[in-house]
């Protein structure tokens, strides 16, 4: 399908000329452009109109999960018929593996994966292989290593009614793709078998599953069904079941990789022994041997991403695959709040490298761990052909590299910046409560900012006690809850502290 905006509004103010100039720049092949738009000038709507005009797969990068969620919601409203996806880090909690030399303390990797975000990540990558009307709103996690896209696509299981294939062969391929058999608890990333019926819960869905009916060694029918009720939604003429993990490899390739890992382990262990570092040599051999055995028997191990270079066929130091490699060559990149996002992208590599130095130097990981990393900024620049940076205050990098700078100053509403009033500290909470009641009486909404997280929580409780429907929002709120809170604020069902 083509991108098509659904909105009762039309571009006004400075938006029409900004859209025309930026689209003209894209058509003329300009590599980097800047949209300099003041706050409240409708830059997201301008982005949407550009996407509709150029009809190309697009990634929009934001500097934090909350902003990405807000952009994703807005773009989904503009493009309800198209595939608008959300791609951020799927950790609710993440403690990276580390070694502190001064206290001889090894910190094991500890994490909590958000299943819903993991589903959204798989949905995003699957969409890129299935259609072109795709927008992915991502945080800077899009520059972190991800499995090789060609291997991910090659491992997909393509099935059609009438196809000659046995149930056992499909099951074997599902297991190779990191799916697990569970005949009792049917959840995402699992499959179950009931006689000649095989049901698969794809990694990219949490509401619908795939039912495959067999007649002997032939597929009799394929259906999309409601995962909970088992009710058939539609009969499918084709289905592609993508892997349950972005780090997958064919059994033949896996064995070759394990041999290379074992060879490199022996070389690095020997190097430690020659330097008299026997503890490091023993540590490296034990840990790596365990990982090799787990990979051989289970196809997975904790920290498998540290061996991604072998599975991807990359050379030491070569840039890792990331989400950007899943896009077709003609995709468009838009960076929102570029004055914040670009410095964040630039800083990712060095912090990761410093942590890995101790892990590799003291025998906790092979040198291949260095290649499980985010892109360097130079590598990032090579990943896009055309870029639009969006900001009210673009930084030095954007302005220096821009082939075209387009200003969007006049707001569609015609409103100017609001008056700023400074009031005394004494009695400020009661004064705030009075202003909130005035706002509520006129059907408005309010956003209150505080100095600390604790103050936001305390103020929210105080306002609730005085009859104001409110909640708080800060960095410790889980990603999906943030999206719900922002949607509630936009729909005028609560205030926000």
């Amino acid at each position: 399908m083509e991108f098509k905006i659904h909105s009762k509004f039309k571009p006004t103010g400075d938006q029409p000329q900004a859209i025309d100039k930026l689209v003209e720049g894209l058509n003329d092949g300009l590599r980097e452009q800047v949209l300099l738009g003041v706050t409240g000038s409708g830059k997201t709507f301008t982005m949407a109109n550009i996407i509709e005009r150029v009809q190309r797969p697009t990634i929009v990068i934001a500097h934090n999960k909350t902003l990405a969620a807000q952009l994703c919601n807005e773009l989904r409203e503009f493009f309800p018929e198209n595939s608008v996806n959300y791609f951020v880090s799927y950790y609710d909690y993440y403690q990276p593996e580390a070694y502190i030399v001064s206290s001889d303390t090894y910190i094991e990797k500890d994490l909590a994966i958000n299943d819903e975000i993991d589903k959204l990540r798989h949905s995003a990558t699957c969409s890129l292989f299935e259609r072109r009307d795709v927008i992915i709103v991502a945080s800077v996690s899009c520059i972190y290593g991800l499995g090789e896209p060609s291997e991910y696509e090659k491992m997909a299981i393509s099935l059609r009614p009438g196809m000659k294939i046995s149930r056992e062969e499909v099951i074997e391929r599902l297991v190779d793709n990191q799916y697990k058999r569970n005949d009792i608890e049917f959840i995402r990333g699992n499959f179950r078998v009931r006689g000649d019926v095989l049901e698969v819960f794809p990694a990219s869905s949490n509401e619908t599953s795939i039912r495959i009916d067999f007649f002997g060694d032939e597929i009799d029918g394929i259906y999309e069904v409601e995962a909970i009720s088992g009710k058939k939604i539609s009969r499918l003429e084709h289905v592609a079941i993508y892997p349950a993990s972005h780090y997958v490899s064919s059994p033949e390739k896996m064995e070759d990789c394990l041999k290379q890992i074992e060879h490199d382990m022996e070389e690095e262990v020997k190097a430690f022994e020659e330097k008299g570092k026997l503890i490091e040599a023993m540590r490296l051999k034990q840990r790596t041997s365990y990982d090799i055995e787990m990979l051989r028997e289970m196809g997975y191990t904790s920290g498998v991403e540290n061996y991604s270079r072998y599975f991807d066929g990359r050379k030491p130091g070569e840039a890792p695959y990331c989400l950007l490699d899943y896009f077709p060559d003609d995709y468009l990149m838009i960076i929102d709040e570029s004055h914040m996002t670009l410095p964040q992208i630039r800083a990712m590599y060095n912090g990761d490298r410093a942590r890995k130095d101790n892990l590799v130097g003291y025998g906790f990981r092979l040198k291949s761990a260095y290649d499980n990393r985010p892109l360097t900024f130079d590598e990032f620049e090579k990943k896009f052909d055309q870029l639009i940076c969006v900001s009210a205050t673009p930084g030095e990098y954007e302005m220096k590299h821009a082939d075209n700078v387009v200003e969007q100053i006049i707001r569609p509403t015609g409103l100017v910046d609001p008056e700023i009033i400074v009031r005394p500290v004494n009695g400020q909470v009661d004064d705030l409560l009075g202003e909130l009641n005035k706002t509520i009486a006129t059907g408005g909404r309010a956003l209150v900012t505080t100095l600390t997280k604790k103050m936001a929580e305390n103020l929210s409780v105080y306002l609730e006690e005085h009859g104001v429907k409110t909640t708080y929002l800060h960095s410790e709120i889980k990603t999906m809850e943030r999206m719900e809170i922002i949607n509630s604020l936009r729909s005028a069902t609560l205030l926000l502290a």
Side-chain angles (χ1 to χ4, degrees), residues 5-252:
I5 292 178
H6 290 254
S7 175
K8 61 182 179 181
F9 302 107
K10 298 294 181 184
T12 55
D14 270 352
Q15 289 175 335
Q17 62 88 23
I19 294 166
D20 289 340
K21 289 180 180 178
L22 289 168
V23 170
E24 182 181 354
L26 292 172
N27 292 335
D28 289 343
L30 299 184
R31 189 167 190 267
E32 297 183 37
Q33 300 183 84
V34 170
L35 172 60
L36 196 164
V38 299
T39 303
S41 62
K43 296 189 288 293
T44 305
F45 191 48
T46 299
M47 290 183 213
N49 277 273
I50 292 169
I51 294 169
E52 184 186 47
R53 291 269 292 273
V54 299
Q55 293 292 323
R56 287 155 58 181
T58 303
I59 182 170
V60 180
I61 305 178
H63 63 89
N64 64 55
K65 294 180 178 180
T66 304
L67 177 59
Q70 181 181 340
L71 286 169
C72 187
N73 285 334
E74 292 179 16
L75 290 171
R76 280 176 177 167
E77 290 180 5
F78 290 139
F79 298 104
E81 297 176 353
N82 306 113
S83 178
V84 181
N85 300 273
Y86 183 58
F87 188 99
V88 297
S89 170
Y90 55 18
Y91 301 118
D92 279 335
Y93 167 76
Y94 182 64
Q95 168 60 59
E97 183 181 30
Y99 178 63
I100 303 172
V101 180
S102 58
S103 59
D104 188 27
T105 303
Y106 171 71
I107 302 172
E108 188 78 49
K109 182 176 75 171
D110 187 19
L111 53 87
I113 291 178
N114 186 303
D115 189 69
E116 176 67 16
I117 297 178
D118 185 42
K119 185 269 293 185
L120 294 172
R121 286 165 63 96
H122 279 283
S123 178
T125 51
C126 290
S127 294
L128 288 169
F129 289 118
E130 295 170 347
R131 54 200 297 177
R132 277 186 59 83
D133 60 324
V134 177
I135 300 171
I136 296 181
V137 183
S139 66
V140 295
S141 63
C142 67
I143 69 167
Y144 274 78
L146 207 60
E148 183 184 1
S150 61
E151 190 73 11
Y152 181 79
E153 185 178 21
K154 186 178 75 174
M155 292 291 285
I157 304 170
S158 179
L159 303 173
R160 298 178 185 275
M163 185 175 178
K164 297 288 186 181
I165 187 171
S166 67
R167 187 194 65 177
E168 287 69 26
E169 187 178 345
V170 175
I171 291 173
E172 186 177 335
R173 292 184 63 185
L174 286 169
V175 172
D176 289 340
N177 280 350
Q178 302 298 320
Y179 282 86
K180 299 176 182 177
R181 179 168 180 171
N182 192 327
D183 292 334
I184 300 173
E185 186 181 15
F186 192 44
I187 58 176
R188 194 178 64 86
N190 286 1
F191 67 91
R192 64 186 178 191
V193 183
R194 295 175 175 176
D196 287 335
V197 176
L198 172 63
E199 292 181 273
V200 184
F201 210 139
S204 57
S205 173
N206 62 359
E207 296 176 353
T208 61
S209 60
I210 304 299
R211 172 177 168 170
I212 307 165
D213 293 348
F214 287 88
F215 184 77
D217 288 344
E218 181 179 326
I219 296 177
D220 189 45
I222 303 176
Y223 305 90
E224 183 181 24
V225 302
E226 291 182 356
I228 296 176
S229 67
K231 180 181 177 181
K232 292 181 181 179
I233 299 173
S234 61
R235 180 182 173 92
L236 305 176
E237 294 304 316
H238 173 258
V239 67
I241 303 172
Y242 286 90
S245 169
H246 286 104
Y247 296 97
V248 291
S249 184
S250 61
E252 303 79 18

Side-chain angles (χ1 to χ4, degrees), residues 313-490:
R314 290 182 285 128
K315 298 177 181 178
E318 195 172 340
Y321 293 103
C322 65
L323 176 64
L324 305 180
D325 294 295
Y326 284 70
F327 279 86
D329 293 337
D330 64 339
Y331 82 97
L332 171 64
M333 178 183 290
I334 299 175
I335 297 183
D336 193 38
E337 302 293 354
S338 59
H339 64 287
M340 295 283 288
T341 308
L342 285 171
Q344 197 173 4
I345 291 173
R346 191 188 299 272
M348 290 294 161
Y349 172 78
N350 289 331
D352 182 81
R353 178 78 184 195
R355 181 174 58 84
K356 297 283 179 60
D357 281 338
N358 285 343
L359 290 171
V360 173
Y362 288 86
F364 289 94
R365 287 292 173 193
L366 293 178
K367 290 179 181 178
S368 63
Y370 282 132
D371 297 301
N372 164 41
R373 59 175 176 82
L375 299 176
T376 65
F377 197 74
D378 289 340
E379 291 167 345
F380 170 74
E381 288 184 299
K382 295 175 183 176
K383 293 289 185 181
F384 63 83
D385 287 329
Q386 290 190 302
L387 165 70
I388 297 176
C389 293
V390 180
S391 175
T393 55
E396 182 182 347
Y397 173 88
E398 299 96 292
M399 300 304 289
K400 181 180 178 181
H401 289 78
D403 301 310
N404 182 29
V405 178
V406 177
E407 292 187 349
Q408 187 170 294
I409 307 300
I410 302 174
R411 295 183 173 93
T413 56
L415 297 176
V416 296
D417 288 336
E419 180 184 4
I420 298 175
I421 302 172
V422 180
R423 295 184 177 175
V425 173
N426 293 335
Q428 61 178 342
V429 176
D430 290 334
D431 181 63
L432 170 65
L433 186 57
E435 292 295 332
L436 290 177
N437 286 328
K438 291 179 186 177
T439 303
I440 293 168
T442 59
R445 287 159 285 178
L447 174 66
V448 182
T449 58
T450 62
L451 292 175
T452 66
K453 299 173 186 176
K454 189 65 177 176
M455 288 174 65
E457 294 175 7
N458 291 340
L459 180 60
S460 179
V461 172
Y462 178 85
L463 293 175
E464 283 275 6
E465 291 173 350
H466 286 76
V468 180
K469 190 172 183 180
T470 183
T471 189
Y472 58 86
L473 178 67
H474 52 61
S475 61
E476 292 182 12
I477 301 297
K478 293 183 178 180
T479 305
M480 302 309 293
E481 290 180 28
R482 293 185 207 176
M483 294 177 69
E484 293 174 6
I485 292 171
I486 290 171
N487 287 336
S488 298
L489 177 64
R490 293 180 67 197

